[in-house]
Amino acid sequence: ALVQGNLDNLAVVAGGAALEREARRVLRVLCGGPFVFNLGHGVLPQTPPGHVAPLAAIVRDFAKETTGRETTGEWNGGGRNGDARNGGR
């Protein structure tokens, strides 16, 4: 079974240490099996764009630290709030 992880999207809004702490918590909980890391409800409109790249780096770094491999880097556009086709709204 594949688990789809749910990072609280408000952690991305907060950014900084809170974002890193919560993202790593989700990664640690789910790393025992196959999973997809994502946000619970997409990227909120008030999310500072500068908080998204550090989140991607946290996930990539964690994958490399724990598996020795890079992530696929694939992104499916997210849900309704994060979907690039509707302007992220």
Side-chain angles (χ1 to χ4, degrees):
L2 178 74
V3 175
Q4 186 163 312
N6 289 313
L7 176 68
D8 184 346
N9 46 11
L10 292 177
V12 186
V13 172
L19 170 59
E20 182 161 0
R21 183 175 50 252
E22 185 60 14
R24 287 188 167 275
R25 184 193 67 77
V26 170
L27 289 163
R28 279 192 309 274
V29 168
L30 296 177
C31 74
F35 70 95
V36 174
F37 185 93
N38 69 349
L39 300 177
H41 299 287
V43 177
L44 297 174
Q46 69 267 30
T47 302
H51 292 186
V52 178
L55 173 59
I58 292 165
V59 174
R60 279 194 298 271
D61 291 348
F62 186 89
K64 195 168 185 178
E65 291 166 11
T66 57
T67 67
R69 299 184 319 224
E70 298 286 336
T71 62
T72 63
E74 294 176 1
W75 181 68
N76 68 4
R80 183 182 183 290
N81 289 335
D83 194 329
R85 292 171 297 211
N86 69 11
R89 287 184 234 105

